Amino acid sequence: MLDFNRNHFEIFGLAPRFALDTEALERAYRDIQSQVHPDRFAHAGEAEQRLSMQWTTRVNEAYQTLRQPFDRANYLLELHGIHAMDPSNTKMPADFLMQQMAWREALEEAKADKSFAGLQDLGRDIGGLAQAMQAQLANLLDRQQDFPHAAEVLRKYRFMQKLLAEIDAAYEEIE
Amino acid sequence: MALLQISEPGMSTAPHQHRLAVGIDLGTTNSLVASVRNGLSVVINDEQGHPLLPSVVRYLADGSVTVGYPAQAKQSEDPHNTLVSVKRFMGRGVRDIRDIAALPYQFVDAPGMLQLKTVAGSKSPVEVSAEILKVLKRRAETALGGDLAGAVITVPAYFDDAQRQATKDAAKLADLNVLRLLNEPTAAAIAYGLDNGAEGIYAVYDLGGGTFDISILKLSKGVFEVLATNGDSALGGDDFDHRIYCWVLEQAGLSVLGDHDKRLLLTRAREAKEMLSERPTAGITAMLSTGQLVDLRLDEPAFRAMTESLVNKTLLPCRKALRDAGLTPAEVKGVVMVGGSTRMPRIQAAVGEFFGQVPLTNLDPDKVVALGAAIQANVLAGNKRDDDWLLLDVVPLSLGIETMGGLVEKIIPRNATLPLARAQEFTTFKDGQTAMAIHVVQGERELVGECRSLARFELRGIPPMVAGAARIRVTFQVDADGLLAVAAREMSTGIEAHIEVKPSYGLSDDEIARMLRDSYDHARFDVEARQLAELKVDAQRLVEATEAALAEDGETLLDPAERAAITARVAALTQAMQGNDAQTVKRASDALNQGTAEFAARRMDASVKRALKGQKLEELDL
């Protein structure tokens, strides 16, 4: 039965790990979708159409969550009872706050100068660090199982993702 | 209306009976209908052999309607009653229409969607579109020799919810069973991809008469996955015509024009544009009603200069779509050109330059969307079961609700895969607040005023509490057609208030019923007969689907008692279908639907298990 208590990993028959085989995830997603998608039931009865809709919606939600590193980590933490993004849970180390300010300044500067190169450099720096953080998250979540520490890293990671999105938006602004 | 024929019970169990299904490209300038015949998708021509039906509808004083070429021929002579490019008005108010001064119509600002005043009364764009669809439906039924089981109707990928709802309403009005609303670039990708065995990342650049779409798709092993889509639902070939039109006014020193002359010059402008795709210069000659003769010559460089900004306007969405997909132009393996406006050499050059490759133009840009839609219609109607492919399409624009201060809280992000549901909790702003106004919007901007308003509704009966204590859960559900349903529920006390909305641009079922009634001869139109016919069609489909399911999985997934119970309900429904009582058919259908819910769930579960097991085996092989 479509069991809404089953977690996202179980739906795809995958182990609950941050370091996920994304190709296996994609394959499982496509295999299930090809069975349950509404296009398969356009000529079927009401009951099947409703079920198809429920299944597809559920599978899409699980897939979207697991394929993004941030959402996947956040979800894993939730499975362990930690709400990393809870508004009451926003502690950040002072040195990271300083670093944040420096990045923001660099972004504003590149925007003011309409500098593509400036944006590219900043994007590369932050992107590289975000990549390294993914390795750190894999270590903390899968091997050490140090969830509070992982939550802290994840909050930093999210900040950097937001900054990367802002850099993208800045390209559009100066275009 | 003709009733569908139903064969005798026991005779109708052939599960692979071919159902007539068509794909319809309801275009701004031209519309087409196509169908899969003998395994091949083909456009159905009219009796004179024309594949295209100009999307032009003319209303006459005696209440009759002409559609297509005959209407087009009268557009300058009778501009108020001859409606062209009405797709641009679908789901739109008067304020939304740019260049309104250049259009020779008398607009009526009706609530939700504008209307056009004609000699036969005010017409909504939905009604006008329905006239086009009716002609295509008749054309298909004549050519295919039977009633249509269903149709796939294409819409621009960048159509918002209001525009999609309007399209679906038009189909309902034309008495078409809509199997799916399909995005135009996705339809083109099906036609192109299946023909060429394409694998990899493809971009579909679709510039039609009034809309522009860019979709980035990943094609692999029979899966068409839309990664990102972008566009402009008010940018197309018509805008190029309008630039020429303005140039003509300037060159000829014209200012205020009558509606007849406006239409005449717009037509000449379009002809000049088309000629410039073939030749370096085009003549524009017109005798105005004032007796003034316009005689001008437009060359390619001048045309290019006046439309350069329009060409560039299509490239910005291309950049955005690529960025959303996380790709660079170099990663795109092929660019498929769709829509008549991509015949302009300037467009092909600009797109080629942007993507760094020669765009693919081996498919007729006018037909490819309808051909793809027909292929999908054939699958959705259940005519093709093996070697099927899978379409994963996305929401084009973010969906959200208004929060304090006129800001938008996005609930569903753009480019999320369909269908999907997402819920978010909100709370009260004031102590003792017992109602909440929920305003649903679509768009990317942060301010409500800059997004499209889709619906407003109120949730009442919230128990009085201090501000911030109530928990209102708002759920957005977007179905496979890209259509939205919204529900809200108060959670904190266990008391539930629940409401579902239809977008305010959509027509209510009552309005549709009224329009349907208006469109038929009053004396002959019998609402009940129609309802009974529809119920019987649905019942027949249900019986066939159930019998096919029983044949496939009845032995393995049901015990004999369960099997007998379902068979009994099938028999009861088949019996009810012999009679002429709508309520009896409805009750028997509901009973069979309920009786098969558990069976359907087991079947779905079993097929998912099979799918995952197949994957495990694949991994073992490695």
Side-chain angles (χ1 to χ4, degrees), chain B residues 572-591:
Chain B
L573 178 55
T574 315
Q575 174 75 37
M577 283 158 59
Q578 300 301 302
N580 283 317
D581 182 40
Q583 276 312 309
T584 312
V585 178
K586 177 91 176 59
R587 264 196 303 275
S589 291
D590 288 347

Side-chain angles (χ1 to χ4, degrees), chain A residues 1 30 39 53 60 172, chain B residues 180 220 323 376 419 477 605:
Chain A
M1 284 307 107
R30 286 169 171 216
D39 284 358
M53 182 79 174
N60 273 334
E172 254 168 62
Chain B
R180 186 74 76 235
S220 71
R323 197 174 291 143
Q376 185 68 357
Q477 169 103 44
D605 215 41

Side-chain angles (χ1 to χ4, degrees), chain A residues 8 11 47 72 90 95 107 129 133 146 148 150 152 161 167:
Chain A
H8 292 348
I11 288 208
R72 182 164 73 240
T90 52
D95 58 342
L107 174 59
L129 278 169
M133 267 183 186
D146 182 350
E152 195 185 305
Q161 270 199 318
I167 293 173

Side-chain angles (χ1 to χ4, degrees), chain B residues 530-541:
Chain B
R530 180 185 156 86
Q531 196 189 13
L532 178 65
E534 277 175 4
L535 280 167
K536 283 189 178 181
V537 169
D538 287 347
Q540 175 66 18
R541 205 179 52 180

